[in-house]
Amino acid sequence: MNIAITNQCSRACAFCYQSSIMKSAGAGGWTQISLDAFNAILDFCEASGEEKVTLVGGEPTLHRQFGRLLEIIDERPALKQALLFTNGIFSDRMVEEIVGHGRKLIVSINVLDPCEEKPVSLLHLRRNLGRFRDAGLQTDLSFVIHRPDFDHRFLLDYAREFDIQAVRWALAFPVVRGASHIPVEQLRPTGVRIAAMLRELSAAGLRSYVDCPLPYCMFSDEDMGFVASQSLSVINWGNCGLTLEISPELTVKACPSQREEERVPLSWFADVPAMERYFFTRMSAYKAAHQLLDECAQCRYYRIGHCQGGCLGYGLDSCPELPPTCRETLGDGDIDGNWKVVPLVGLALERRDGAALLLSPRSPQVAPEPLSGDEAGIWSEIAAGPRFASLVDGRGRETVQAFVRRLQRGGFVDLVRDRP
């Protein structure tokens, strides 16, 4: 679970997926998470059985009470580990804070090619890497590839000098307009360089981790096998997982490619599994409209759902606008008859062994929702986007309302105010 504790940053990376958020935040005043909100998020994580959290930003160490946030994590025995995702450019005092709370902490430092870093920032970074090494703090490097002609050799130099054991890497994708990223036509040449980089990292004894999905056709068959075996990840590297992020305002987003207006309150969810189910279903609408290349339609990996065709950010322009989520309708009260029930795009009703299942054919992570015979009939009407009142005609209101609520909490439908 990513917790964005501030939207302020000390860098302005060309590829940053948060750049539009930070720009608007800078104009309207920076936001930092309160201690009460931070504790509320940790309560939610612990109640869900989560043992790890990730602190992100902006730059997390710019939070005015950053040291206190680390103390709060230390005070919670149920939390076994915290990952700090930072640019590593901070004062000696902050180094002492981090080292002093290093019992649970892993530090992942987002490094730029030295030729892209300001000289004074590079001095701070190298000094802090050295102090983390001397303190025995578990540290890895994070590297975002945003140019086809990237040079990775500095990673090997840092690893040797600062006793680094692992490198997390990712491609920069077009989730923010104007941000530097790998163009579609350069994915395959970039894949050749990535495979060469990973072979060198492996030969140097470095573990590597990839974050977001990569289209299989970036690589030759030989390189694809090597990338899949050497670059570890908690997700299938051909398909999106979720990068759930909770903001200082206690709203949740599933992925940088998801539109900001789709953020929903943390209070919607009873636990993390309910949150994951909701967002996997929501993101399936992006997948339904996403086809990176014309040849995807003939690709066996794409057809069987092993490869989604790369980051969904490449297909934002082709993804239909999702209806605005009406947050005031998700409670347990009555649904007014004038609300429209709008189904998510890309869903299908299938019958297997006599059972009716609502599912997403393009998103294998979406757990099928079993429907009774009566519910399947209601769904057939919902597919036309009716007003709620028309669904109730001839049926029990409470039964229909409970069914619509269930679909809404699963992410399958939105309730939209029916405006004349």
Side-chain angles (χ1 to χ4, degrees):
M1 181 69 66
N2 288 356
I3 306 174
I5 61 176
T6 179
N7 51 23
Q8 189 174 2
C9 193
S10 51
R11 261 192 193 152
C13 298
F15 53 82
C16 181
Y17 69 87
Q18 296 276 42
S19 56
S20 61
I21 298 172
M22 289 189 287
K23 183 177 180 180
S24 60
W30 301 112
T31 301
Q32 299 200 346
I33 199 167
S34 69
L35 297 185
D36 286 345
F38 189 67
N39 273 303
I41 294 171
L42 298 186
D43 288 343
F44 176 83
C45 291
E46 289 185 0
S48 301
E50 296 287 304
E51 296 183 343
K52 301 177 182 179
V53 294
T54 300
L55 305 183
V56 300
E59 169 52 41
T61 61
L62 293 177
H63 193 286
R64 290 185 297 272
Q65 295 178 286
F66 181 72
R68 178 58 189 144
L69 299 182
L70 296 183
E71 288 177 0
I72 290 171
I73 291 173
D74 271 351
E75 292 164 0
R76 290 176 174 258
L79 288 178
K80 307 298 184 186
Q81 189 179 94
L83 174 64
L84 170 62
F85 192 71
T86 173
N87 60 32
I89 302 168
F90 35 68
S91 67
D92 290 346
R93 182 187 63 79
M94 187 56 63
V95 173
E96 293 170 2
E97 287 275 15
I98 293 170
V99 170
H101 294 91
R103 182 172 60 87
K104 295 182 179 181
L105 205 58
I106 297 175
V107 180
S108 184
I109 298 185
N110 183 22
V111 291
L112 304 179
D113 187 318
C115 71
E116 298 178 353
E117 192 72 89
K118 295 177 182 178
V120 65
S121 297
L122 191 58
L123 287 173
H124 277 286
L125 172 64
R126 293 182 61 84
R127 181 197 64 201
N128 292 340
L129 282 170
R131 294 192 65 181
F132 287 158
R133 175 201 59 205
D134 296 343
L137 187 69
Q138 186 174 345
T139 307
D140 63 34
L141 303 179
S142 177
F143 179 46
V144 178
I145 298 168
H146 68 103
R147 301 198 325 255
D149 61 345
F150 73 93
D151 187 347
H152 68 276
R153 288 173 295 181
F154 76 96
L155 296 171
L156 298 167
D157 294 338
Y158 282 174
R160 283 190 292 266
E161 183 174 354
F162 300 112
D163 195 25
I164 302 295
Q165 304 298 314
V167 174
R168 169 203 163 272
W169 63 279
L171 291 191
F173 294 124
V175 296
V176 174
R177 295 194 186 281
S180 178
H181 66 276
I182 305 298
V184 171
E185 62 273 14
Q186 290 295 323
L187 284 171
R188 284 172 176 150
T190 305
V192 174
R193 295 180 73 96
I194 287 172
M197 174 188 77
L198 295 177
R199 283 187 164 88
E200 288 194 45
L201 295 180
S202 178
L206 288 164
R207 301 187 308 279
S208 60
Y209 300 82
V210 60
D211 262 8
C212 293
L214 309 172
Y216 285 9
C217 59
M218 279 183 65
F219 306 101
S220 67
D221 286 348
E222 180 183 357
D223 284 346
M224 184 171 72
F226 182 82
V227 172
S229 65
Q230 294 294 316
S231 198
L232 307 175
S233 178
V234 296
I235 60 174
N236 179 336
W237 64 276
N239 266 290
C240 279
L242 295 175
T243 310
L244 294 168
E245 179 186 286
I246 306 177
S247 74
E249 298 84 9
L250 297 183
T251 62
V252 190
K253 185 179 174 182
C255 168
S257 68
Q258 192 179 26
R259 298 182 178 105
E260 279 298 300
E261 55 266 30
E262 290 181 77
R263 283 189 175 274
V264 294
L266 176 64
S267 58
W268 275 25
F269 307 106
D271 51 32
V272 171
M275 183 189 295
E276 291 175 339
R277 177 178 172 80
Y278 175 88
F279 280 114
F280 268 132
T281 308
R282 299 291 301 182
M283 294 302 292
S284 71
Y286 288 76
K287 288 191 179 185
H290 178 64
Q291 185 173 310
L292 182 68
L293 303 167
D294 291 340
E295 52 262 45
C296 285
Q298 284 74 48
C299 172
R300 61 191 175 100
Y301 297 119
Y302 183 85
R303 289 200 309 270
I304 64 178
H306 284 188
C307 176
Q308 69 181 33
C311 177
L312 301 176
Y314 285 110
L316 281 180
D317 291 337
S318 61
C319 182
E321 290 288 337
L322 299 176
T325 302
C326 295
R327 300 176 181 178
E328 66 267 33
T329 67
L330 197 69
D332 296 323
D334 288 340
I335 300 174
D336 187 285
N338 290 323
W339 288 87
K340 290 183 68 176
V341 183
V342 182
L344 206 64
V345 298
L347 298 178
L349 184 65
E350 293 189 4
R351 297 189 182 275
R352 299 177 185 173
D353 300 325
L357 299 173
L358 182 61
L359 48 79
S360 172
R362 281 296 310 144
S363 188
Q365 299 102 322
V366 176
E369 180 74 17
L371 305 183
S372 69
D374 289 343
E375 290 170 343
I378 298 173
W379 175 257
S380 297
E381 295 181 34
I382 286 176
R387 289 170 62 184
F388 176 74
S390 69
L391 295 176
V392 175
D393 287 347
R395 301 185 176 100
R397 178 185 177 85
E398 291 185 1
T399 299
V400 176
Q401 181 168 270
F403 177 56
V404 170
R405 288 283 194 215
R406 194 176 100 215
L407 293 182
Q408 190 185 22
R409 289 189 179 277
F412 293 99
V413 302
D414 278 315
L415 292 180
V416 178
R417 195 180 297 278
D418 191 12
R419 302 185 188 280

